[in-house]
Amino acid sequence: TDNSEVLPESIPSAPGTLPHFIEEPDDAYIIKSNPIALRCKARPAMQIFFKCNGEWVHQNEHVSEESLDERSGLKVREVFINVTRQQVEDFHGPEDYWCQCVAWSHLGTSKSRKASVRIAYLRKNFEQDPQGREVPIEGMIVLHCRPPEGVPAAEVEWLKNEEPIDSEQDENIDTRADHNLIIRQARLSDSGNYTCMAANIVAKRRSLSATVVVYVNGGWSSWTEWSACNVRCGRGWQKRSRTCTNPAPLNGGAFCEGMSVQKITCTSLCPVDGSWEVWSEWSVCSPECEHLRIRECTAPPPRNGGKFCEGLSQESENCTDGLCILDKKPLHEIKPQRWSRRGIENASDIALYSGLGAAVVAVAVLVIGVTLYRRSQSDYGVDVIDSSALTGGFQTFNFKTVRQGNPLLLNSSMQPDLTVSRTYSGPICLQDPLDKELMTESSLFNPLSDIKVKVQSSFMVSLGVSERAEYRGKNHSGTFPHGNNRSFSTMHPRNKTPYIQNLSSLPTRTELRTTGVFGHLGGRLVMPNTGVSLLIPHGAIPEENSWEIYMSINQGEPSLQSDGSEVLLSPEVTCGPPDMTVTTPFALTIPHCADVSSEHWNIHLKKRTQQGKWEEVMSVEDESTSCYCLLDPFACHVLLDSFGTYALTGEPITDCAVKQLKVAVFGCMSCNSLDYNLRVYCVDNTPWAFQEVVSDERHQGGQLLEEPKLLHFKGNTFSLQISVLDIPPFLWRIKPFTACQEVPFSRVWCSNRQPLHCAFSLERYTPTTTQLSCKICIRQLKGHEQILQVQTSILESERETITFFAQEDSTFPAQTGPKAFKIPYSIRQRICATFDTPNAKGKDWQMLAQKNSINRNLSYFATQSSPSAVILNLWEARHQHDGDLDSLACALEEIGRTHTKLSNITEPQLDEADFNYSRQNGV
């Protein structure tokens, strides 16, 4: 029938039953533009039609199915229609869009329930966002939330720090009261950021976060005992004190009211020192020809702890003027004889001692004269011209004096230390072909070990001096087979006894170390030219305490053994003493050689235990409240509470993980006057690793020929090639098949164990050639490439100096007090006082962290008593080499545009000391 035709409400009665609805249409919601289906099912039913909003739905829009009920044998009919969003929007009735089923049987008709159809939606804006609160501990917290309007009505869920809150597991929290969050008794753990989450079948909406701060007001501790009187005698004072630590104010809680120190007056008796009375009269002369007199310490007597009189209380003397007879001789005759004999004995003793003294002086003068003569004749700056002193297999060679102006020496005016490892002043040439192979043709990729070579000057031989100057040279490991201990010896010309120095007795360096004494004002400890530093914040050490703090770098074999693909990315840094505790985290800066990317590296901070094992402290990307790691491109700044030994390790996630290597080339003359040696180093890009190379080259007389460059070495298992190119063809030559050398990937990837270098030997055609120009190509197969352009003179007087260490951190290894910090203490206090207080608009320490590029693991700072102070400590550690405070000033200025409390910072009332400090540092 046509849609406008009115269907009959009933059919003429017939035997049977009325239709019974097995399934009736349900209320439905249209989501976006998707139509919904309404269904109904009845038995027995001859026909079923839908009526929507009082009008019959056209028969063509119905889809019906017919079946037979097996139990009753009655017909079962099921019908459904689709309702579109347009149909609902076009309806403008007083009630919602509705539809109803009408079913016919022989007995009559039945109608189903009305099913409403509505368009589902959820508004974007909350009708009421939760507001931040500051409540005392054990106070009640009520956060109101009215979700956005929506159909169907939105359900509300609460989040704390992005984690859902389950009120069923915490009886202290109630979320049932009209979408509000109620915390009956606030705890410190309830501090955090709370978010109201509203959701229905269409969408989810988040409210603005509300910061809840549970603070603790300070309480006084008990009074201490009264101190002793501050003066020894007279009127003084005593004091007692108490601290605001019961409990201490926390999270902006009020400080204790009242005085922390009480004083009372005290009076103590002053000590009186004793004094002598006048002497009494002399007594009667005794049979021993003496009389005496006395005095007493009573003018006044000592009291109240005063000193007793000094001197004798009794005095005696001869009372006969020498006329008294003793042993039948006048007394004046006996005493002179005694003194005369004693004088003779003393005179003889003086003569004896004078003679001995003169003999000792003569011997000392003779020894000094011989020593000075020997030193003048055996100085190591002269040439060894007599080869008879070198009968142990050496040719004649020269030990040159120290070159003036050599940049590889820390002090050009100082003679080299001849007792340190890896040192020889000039090249040593050997007659034996095997020895020559030892020095030149051995494996070029093995780091050079240390050997000792004993050399005796011909001047010493002629003087009969048996002492020998000791030099330490270089040995290529792996030259001799196992079990064959090759040694060098020199023969003394008198007894021809060889001196044997075994190659296995090699001294090794173990660590770099620096120390400083720090107190309550804090300071900074720097390891020069290594990139390692330690920042002790102001107040980290209690008042009236001071500690000697040390810091060292392990220079020996790393104790951290890598597991699997793990790589050591930094030096092993030790700071101590380990039993020292700090009240504020200190900042340790460790350089690393990783090309930082969370997509390619998984970087860990590890600590060595007292048993010598290494355990992981945290992953750099993890969230932790025990420590904080801030990874910069070339260094990692770590906030720690305990001292110990720390290192950074990296686990490559993909083949694109990159280690940054520093490549440099050094050169020096060979023992053959026509040869020139080039040594190319590839080391981890940390100042410490390069300092190791510089130290070795300084002892070998090497010269840096080109500014070091960075090479990005990928973890793709491809090897490294080092080659010498563009050698002037008619001036220099290189041995065939040695211009290009290849290093396996594993040797380069784990090069932090030992500095990696390759050596090339160039030969001049004529001695007149003094200039060398060539290129050193260092490249990874299917990777990065660097070119070092060598343009140098092989003559020391014409060689150009290339510096490679900035001196900014080597002058003052330890700085204490305010001069160690860039931010004046008064300004620092104002910043902390302003930003430590939570702000409803988020203008607090969290924004201070964000503006200083600290966007991760903010929960660590939330656990600190002063988050702003810890953030500023981290800023100090990151910007120790910056010249001014521009970055911090820009951050404060950006926040200060909407912050009303910053007037005390932007226009501080500084005292004279702060003003002078600020003016000098460009604040």
Side-chain angles (χ1 to χ4, degrees):
T1 62
D2 189 72
N3 191 40
S4 60
E5 180 184 353
V6 178
L7 295 178
E9 290 293 335
S10 63
I11 296 178
S13 59
T17 60
L18 288 174
H20 170 69
F21 284 97
I22 301 174
E23 181 180 351
E24 298 184 83
D26 294 325
D27 295 339
Y29 298 94
I30 294 179
I31 301 174
K32 297 183 179 179
S33 298
N34 300 320
I36 56 97
L38 297 179
R39 296 174 178 271
C40 67
K41 183 189 295 185
R43 72 164 181 254
M46 298 169 54
Q47 290 292 339
I48 299 177
F49 287 97
F50 272 95
K51 179 185 287 187
C52 294
N53 303 317
E55 295 183 0
W56 294 103
V57 179
H58 197 280
Q59 183 179 2
N60 295 338
E61 298 180 13
H62 290 73
V63 178
S64 62
E65 295 178 358
E66 185 177 318
S67 61
L68 186 66
D69 191 344
E70 295 180 357
R71 291 184 179 181
S72 61
L74 300 177
K75 286 186 177 181
V76 177
R77 185 174 292 274
E78 181 180 5
V79 177
F80 67 88
I81 64 171
N82 288 331
V83 179
T84 64
R85 183 186 184 97
Q86 189 65 39
Q87 289 175 314
V88 178
E89 289 179 346
D90 292 343
F91 175 70
H92 301 287
E95 55 184 352
D96 292 334
Y97 188 98
W98 61 269
C99 290
Q100 184 182 36
C101 281
V102 180
W104 282 269
S105 71
H106 293 289
L107 189 60
T109 61
S110 297
K111 296 181 180 180
S112 70
R113 64 179 294 274
K114 291 183 178 180
S116 64
V117 180
R118 306 175 66 185
I119 298 175
Y121 67 91
L122 183 63
R123 305 289 185 196
K124 289 186 177 181
N125 297 326
F126 278 71
E127 295 183 5
Q128 182 179 1
D129 287 305
Q131 300 295 318
R133 294 285 186 273
E134 296 180 18
V135 295
I137 194 168
E138 297 185 356
M140 178 178 285
I141 302 174
V142 179
L143 298 180
H144 298 281
C145 175
R146 293 178 60 188
E149 178 188 353
V151 174
E155 296 181 358
V156 171
E157 180 185 23
W158 284 91
L159 305 179
K160 176 189 174 185
N161 297 332
E162 304 303 324
E163 294 293 333
I165 297 175
D166 190 354
S167 59
E168 295 182 358
Q169 295 182 0
D170 192 345
E171 297 180 353
N172 194 40
I173 298 177
D174 185 7
T175 58
R176 297 170 296 178
D178 196 21
H179 307 310
N180 298 329
L181 174 66
I182 300 175
I183 302 178
R184 297 182 180 88
Q185 287 187 330
R187 302 156 295 191
L188 287 176
S189 59
D190 292 325
S191 297
N193 296 320
Y194 289 82
T195 307
C196 182
M197 179 75 72
N200 66 2
I201 60 176
V202 180
K204 290 183 179 181
R205 301 285 186 255
R206 290 171 57 97
S207 70
L208 297 177
S209 294
T211 301
V212 173
V213 177
V214 180
Y215 61 85
V216 179
N217 293 325
W220 289 114
S221 65
S222 301
W223 289 102
T224 61
E225 297 293 333
W226 289 104
S227 66
C229 200
N230 70 317
V231 295
R232 185 180 177 187
C233 66
R235 185 179 180 84
W237 50 265
Q238 294 174 279
K239 70 175 183 177
R240 65 176 183 175
S241 61
R242 58 180 179 176
T243 57
C244 188
T245 57
N246 187 31
L250 190 64
N251 295 339
F255 198 79
C256 304
E257 296 182 358
M259 296 186 302
S260 61
V261 178
Q262 283 185 344
K263 291 185 179 181
I264 58 173
T265 59
C266 57
T267 304
S268 59
L269 298 176
C270 294
V272 177
D273 296 336
S275 181
W276 292 113
E277 291 278 3
V278 297
W279 288 101
S280 65
E281 296 295 331
W282 289 103
S283 66
V284 179
C285 195
S286 68
E288 288 79 18
C289 306
E290 291 183 340
H291 63 175
L292 57 86
R293 62 178 181 177
I294 62 173
R295 58 179 177 175
E296 295 181 352
C297 186
T298 57
R303 59 179 182 269
N304 301 330
K307 296 180 181 179
F308 197 80
C309 303
E310 295 183 358
L312 300 176
S313 62
Q314 180 175 307
E315 193 176 60
S316 63
E317 66 177 17
N318 189 279
C319 56
T320 62
D321 294 329
L323 300 179
C324 186
I325 300 299
L326 184 63
D327 296 334
K328 298 181 181 182
K329 292 184 179 181
L331 190 63
H332 68 278
E333 296 180 5
I334 296 174
K335 291 184 176 180
Q337 293 176 359
R338 292 179 180 176
W339 284 106
S340 64
R341 286 197 301 271
R342 192 173 300 168
I344 293 172
E345 294 173 358
N346 292 340
S348 62
D349 291 343
I350 292 172
L352 175 62
Y353 292 136
S354 299
L356 291 175
V360 170
V361 171
V363 171
V365 170
L366 179 60
V367 170
I368 293 173
V370 172
T371 302
L372 293 177
Y373 180 76
R374 283 165 48 191
R375 287 187 178 180
S376 64
Q377 295 299 323
S378 61
D379 185 73
Y380 299 118
V382 302
D383 295 339
V384 180
I385 59 176
D386 186 1
S387 61
S388 64
L390 306 172
T391 59
F394 293 91
Q395 291 181 349
T396 302
F397 62 97
N398 297 333
F399 286 98
K400 298 295 184 182
T401 56
V402 179
R403 295 189 291 269
Q404 297 297 323
N406 187 350
L408 288 177
L409 296 178
L410 294 176
N411 188 345
S412 299
S413 63
M414 297 175 58
Q415 294 293 328
D417 185 358
L418 303 179
T419 63
V420 297
S421 63
R422 307 182 187 179
T423 302
Y424 57 87
S425 298
I428 300 176
C429 301
L430 305 174
Q431 289 178 339
D432 182 47
L434 180 60
D435 293 336
K436 198 166 188 178
E437 181 183 355
L438 167 69
M439 302 302 292
T440 60
E441 298 295 327
S442 62
S443 174
L444 296 174
F445 297 112
N446 289 329
L448 300 178
S449 304
D450 300 329
I451 64 172
K452 290 185 178 180
V453 180
K454 289 284 185 174
V455 179
Q456 184 166 339
S457 170
S458 60
F459 296 103
M460 294 182 183
V461 176
S462 62
L463 290 173
V465 182
S466 60
E467 288 81 355
R468 300 167 180 178
E470 178 177 308
Y471 288 80
R472 299 187 185 181
K474 305 285 287 186
N475 167 49
H476 295 268
S477 62
T479 301
F480 299 114
H482 294 289
N484 182 14
N485 291 330
R486 180 80 173 226
S487 61
F488 301 103
S489 65
T490 58
M491 304 296 292
H492 196 285
R494 291 185 178 182
N495 53 21
K496 305 297 182 180
T497 302
Y499 175 83
I500 305 297
Q501 173 61 46
N502 196 309
L503 291 175
S504 62
S505 59
L506 304 176
T508 58
R509 292 170 292 180
T510 57
E511 66 177 9
L512 287 172
R513 185 182 177 95
T514 185
T515 61
V517 178
F518 298 89
H520 183 70
L521 297 179
R524 193 190 304 269
L525 189 62
V526 177
M527 188 80 71
N529 296 330
T530 64
V532 178
S533 64
L534 182 68
L535 181 76
I536 306 297
H538 182 283
I541 301 176
E543 292 187 27
E544 301 179 357
N545 286 357
S546 62
W547 287 84
E548 182 180 17
I549 298 177
Y550 64 85
M551 189 166 56
S552 63
I553 297 178
N554 178 22
Q555 287 187 287
E557 184 71 15
S559 61
L560 177 55
Q561 301 299 324
S562 301
D563 297 332
S565 61
E566 197 174 44
V567 180
L568 184 63
L569 298 177
S570 74
E572 296 175 4
V573 179
T574 301
C575 53
D579 57 344
M580 176 182 169
T581 57
V582 292
T583 58
T584 302
F586 61 90
L588 177 64
T589 299
I590 306 177
H592 66 81
C593 61
D595 191 356
V596 180
S597 174
S598 59
E599 299 176 358
H600 308 308
W601 282 105
N602 188 8
I603 299 177
H604 306 273
L605 175 68
K606 292 196 173 184
K607 180 181 180 180
R608 188 172 63 192
T609 63
Q610 295 181 351
Q611 293 76 24
K613 297 182 178 180
W614 286 85
E615 60 182 15
E616 181 176 333
V617 179
M618 68 173 295
S619 176
V620 173
E621 297 297 327
D622 287 346
E623 298 283 330
S624 173
T625 57
S626 60
C627 66
Y628 187 89
C629 289
L630 181 61
L631 199 63
D632 279 349
F634 299 103
C636 183
H637 311 282
V638 189
L639 296 177
L640 298 164
D641 293 340
S642 61
F643 291 89
T645 301
Y646 296 90
L648 291 174
T649 64
E651 183 179 2
I653 302 175
T654 68
D655 290 345
C656 295
V658 171
K659 275 185 65 175
Q660 293 181 341
L661 302 180
K662 181 171 289 186
V663 293
V665 56
F666 289 79
C668 68
M669 289 294 296
S670 177
C671 54
N672 184 346
S673 60
L674 295 178
D675 289 349
Y676 191 77
N677 292 331
L678 295 177
R679 288 184 290 274
V680 182
Y681 288 86
C682 298
V683 298
D684 291 349
N685 183 33
T686 60
W688 166 77
F690 190 55
Q691 185 177 1
E692 284 261 296
V693 172
V694 170
S695 178
D696 290 346
E697 285 294 326
R698 179 183 295 123
H699 296 319
Q700 298 181 53
Q703 173 74 26
L704 184 65
L705 303 181
E706 171 67 350
E707 285 285 345
K709 294 184 179 181
L710 283 184
L711 179 73
H712 298 284
F713 191 80
K714 289 185 178 181
N716 56 10
T717 71
F718 286 99
S719 59
L720 184 74
Q721 282 187 351
I722 304 176
S723 54
V724 182
L725 308 175
D726 297 345
I727 302 174
F730 301 107
L731 300 177
W732 295 85
R733 64 183 174 187
I734 190 170
K735 293 182 180 181
F737 309 109
T738 62
C740 181
Q741 303 180 18
E742 188 167 332
V743 188
F745 168 84
S746 59
R747 187 69 188 277
V748 183
W749 193 246
C750 301
S751 61
N752 59 308
R753 303 280 175 180
Q754 299 169 341
L756 172 68
H757 81 276
C758 293
F760 299 88
S761 180
L762 305 182
E763 184 181 0
R764 294 179 289 172
Y765 283 97
T766 63
T768 58
T769 302
T770 61
Q771 298 293 323
L772 172 63
S773 65
C774 63
K775 293 180 181 179
I776 308 293
C777 177
I778 305 103
R779 74 183 189 96
Q780 183 185 18
L781 299 179
K782 298 186 179 180
H784 189 217
E785 177 184 282
Q786 279 289 9
I787 299 293
L788 298 177
Q789 181 69 51
V790 176
Q791 185 76 37
T792 185
S793 171
I794 64 174
L795 300 179
E796 297 172 2
S797 59
E798 300 176 3
R799 186 176 296 160
E800 181 180 357
T801 300
I802 300 176
T803 59
F804 40 83
F805 274 140
Q807 301 298 322
E808 57 190 1
D809 63 348
S810 61
T811 307
F812 303 103
Q815 292 181 318
T816 59
K819 63 183 179 181
F821 303 94
K822 294 183 176 295
I823 308 174
Y825 182 65
S826 61
I827 294 181
R828 180 188 180 94
Q829 284 183 308
R830 291 183 175 96
I831 294 176
C832 295
T834 302
F835 289 99
D836 281 347
T837 303
N839 186 285
K841 296 182 179 180
K843 306 291 184 178
D844 51 14
W845 62 266
Q846 297 185 62
M847 179 166 286
L848 180 64
Q850 180 184 358
K851 295 302 180 183
N852 284 281
S853 302
I854 303 174
N855 302 314
R856 185 185 52 79
N857 196 10
L858 295 183
S859 58
Y860 172 84
F861 301 95
T863 61
Q864 305 298 321
S865 58
S866 176
S868 302
V870 180
I871 293 172
L872 294 180
N873 294 339
L874 197 56
W875 184 93
E876 290 273 5
R878 296 180 75 183
H879 297 82
Q880 60 176 313
H881 296 308
D882 291 357
D884 52 39
L885 299 172
D886 283 348
S887 62
L888 181 62
C890 292
L892 292 177
E893 181 182 5
E894 186 173 351
I895 302 173
R897 295 193 185 109
T898 56
H899 205 303
T900 58
K901 294 185 179 180
L902 284 177
S903 59
N904 290 333
I905 298 177
T906 54
E907 297 180 6
Q909 300 296 322
L910 301 177
D911 56 29
E912 183 176 358
D914 281 338
F915 177 79
N916 292 335
Y917 181 92
S918 303
R919 182 176 57 184
Q920 294 170 5
N921 289 274
V923 181

